[in-house]
Amino acid sequence: MTTPPSHAPDSDPTSDPAHVDELTPDARDLVDIPAGEVISRAAVLLMSAAAEQLGLAADDPQAPPHRDLDQARTLITALAGLVNASAPDLGPHAAAFRDGLSALQAAFREYSVHPDEPGHGPGERPARHH
């Protein structure tokens, strides 16, 4: 009796060249993109979305037609996690992502009616007491 091929979550269809042709065009494209570039693209998307939620893209960022600080907090926190976890893999680009993150955190603090204490804002780490 033969068993059907396994489709376990840990099986990787890209590890077998015969299965690469079965991948969707989008998945095939992802196979060809270096991990650092995928991370960079994700970081840029998070940065752009956070900037939009903060109203930074508006003609007048001080009075944008849309500002959602709850959504911005979530996006900035996710960006901080990604940037901090992947900094060693981003090489010389890590500094630019850290700068962008810092700028978003500063804008968030500026637009908050009740700003978080330093170290407690989105994606910030509280100071450690020794």
Side-chain angles (χ1 to χ4, degrees):
M1 177 159 114
T2 60
T3 56
S6 173
H7 293 291
D10 60 316
S11 65
D12 180 7
T14 62
S15 63
D16 180 1
H19 293 289
V20 171
D21 290 336
E22 296 174 14
L23 297 175
T24 64
D26 290 339
R28 201 171 322 131
D29 291 343
L30 287 175
V31 169
D32 297 330
I33 301 172
E37 187 173 337
V38 173
I39 294 167
S40 293
R41 288 181 185 187
V44 168
L45 179 62
L46 289 168
M47 291 175 86
S48 298
E52 289 287 339
Q53 293 296 344
L54 288 170
L56 296 176
D59 290 336
D60 180 6
Q62 297 303 319
H66 173 83
R67 178 173 287 142
D68 188 331
L69 294 178
D70 289 335
Q71 290 293 303
R73 176 185 294 277
T74 300
L75 292 162
I76 294 168
T77 300
L79 174 64
L82 179 62
V83 169
N84 292 328
S86 61
D89 300 313
L90 294 174
H93 304 290
F97 286 115
R98 278 194 211 101
D99 290 347
L101 172 60
S102 293
L104 289 168
Q105 290 168 324
F108 182 90
R109 181 168 275 110
E110 178 182 337
Y111 297 137
S112 295
V113 175
H114 301 287
D116 296 312
E117 292 294 319
H120 295 324
E124 295 178 346
R125 297 178 190 171
R128 293 184 183 169
H129 301 287
H130 294 277

